[in-house]
Amino acid sequence: MNFTDMLFSAALLQTCNAVMLLVLGFAAVRVPWRLLPAGAVAAWSAACVMLAAMWLMQAGLQPGLSFHLLGAGIFTLLMGWELALLAMALVLVFVVVAGPLSWLALGVNFCFTVLPAVLLVAGVLWLARRYLAAHLFVYVFVNAFLAGGASLFAAAGCGMLLLLEQGIYDGAYLLDNALPFYFLLSWSEAFTSGLVVSIMVVYRPQWVRTFDDARYLDGSF
């Protein structure tokens, strides 16, 4: 979803912007900047540009209801949740510069699209590590495929609840004209996340920050 500032009150926009800055500050403090491999950082930067291009190629029915792949699952697994939040906030800045969004709407898009999606993938990753077998199939299928698809649906759900609560659209309209499209799009998100992560762990595992050969291949955990 790409929310515009015209849909919401100034108080909500300002609150979301403040929350976004607090979350990004917390994430930035937690990133081990000195330990990040240079090759991975360059690849992640290119991924930000590619994701911004994907977000710009969107379809939509009404203001606030747009359809595009999210990429939260891929970014979270490649970078970790802290850096994924920072990177996707940078993608939002790219989209603002390109024109579709305004600066005032950065926070509401971050809080109701990026944040729930990234936290869901990070939460599934934590649960999988704690309760499921340390196996490559589990990492790809559960963390990339299932969580990747669920992340888009979670972001869409949060966005639709916001639009409903603000009285912008009624529930019947959202259920009939938005929810089915987001459900179908979540499958595309799942397949894309699973495919990209699978390729990365095979050919460039050093670029996947949440992947550990000792855990998923050697059976050391």
Side-chain angles (χ1 to χ4, degrees):
M1 289 184 175
N2 288 343
F3 299 120
T4 63
D5 59 323
M6 296 181 293
L7 296 174
F8 307 106
S9 66
L12 178 62
L13 294 172
Q14 292 170 3
T15 300
C16 289
N17 285 331
V19 171
M20 177 186 69
L21 293 176
L22 289 173
V23 171
L24 292 178
F26 177 73
V29 170
R30 290 182 54 89
V31 174
W33 297 102
R34 295 183 180 181
L35 301 179
L36 298 178
V41 172
W44 297 341
S45 300
C48 289
V49 176
M50 294 175 62
L51 186 62
M54 290 175 58
W55 283 15
L56 290 171
M57 295 186 295
Q58 58 178 295
L61 298 173
Q62 297 290 340
L65 293 175
S66 60
F67 307 101
H68 59 78
L69 295 180
L70 191 58
I74 298 172
F75 271 47
T76 305
L77 295 178
L78 290 183
M79 308 175 187
W81 69 266
E82 307 95 333
L83 198 53
L85 289 174
L86 295 169
M88 297 189 76
L90 181 61
V91 171
L92 279 174
V93 171
F94 289 160
V95 176
V96 169
V97 172
L101 295 181
S102 69
W103 291 104
L104 288 175
L106 269 178
V108 70
N109 280 280
F110 179 87
C111 291
F112 289 93
T113 301
V114 172
L115 187 59
V118 171
L119 292 184
L120 186 144
V121 177
V124 171
L125 179 64
W126 182 85
L127 290 172
R129 285 175 170 174
R130 185 174 180 87
Y131 297 108
L132 298 181
H135 194 278
L136 179 61
F137 176 80
V138 171
Y139 181 82
V140 172
F141 183 72
V142 175
N143 299 318
F145 181 84
L146 293 181
S151 68
L152 187 144
F153 202 69
C158 289
M160 287 189 293
L161 287 175
L162 174 65
L163 294 172
L164 179 63
E165 191 277 332
Q166 293 290 306
I168 300 170
Y169 298 106
D170 58 42
Y173 180 86
L174 293 172
L175 289 175
D176 293 339
N177 297 282
L179 186 63
F181 291 100
Y182 286 120
F183 178 76
L184 293 175
L185 191 60
S186 67
W187 286 100
S188 298
E189 183 83 14
F191 280 110
T192 302
S193 299
L195 178 62
V196 171
V197 172
S198 297
I199 293 173
M200 295 297 290
V201 297
V202 170
Y203 294 102
R204 290 292 185 274
Q206 68 274 19
W207 292 357
V208 186
R209 189 176 165 209
T210 62
F211 184 79
D212 184 5
D213 289 350
R215 172 184 292 272
Y216 294 105
L217 298 180
D218 299 338
S220 301
F221 288 82

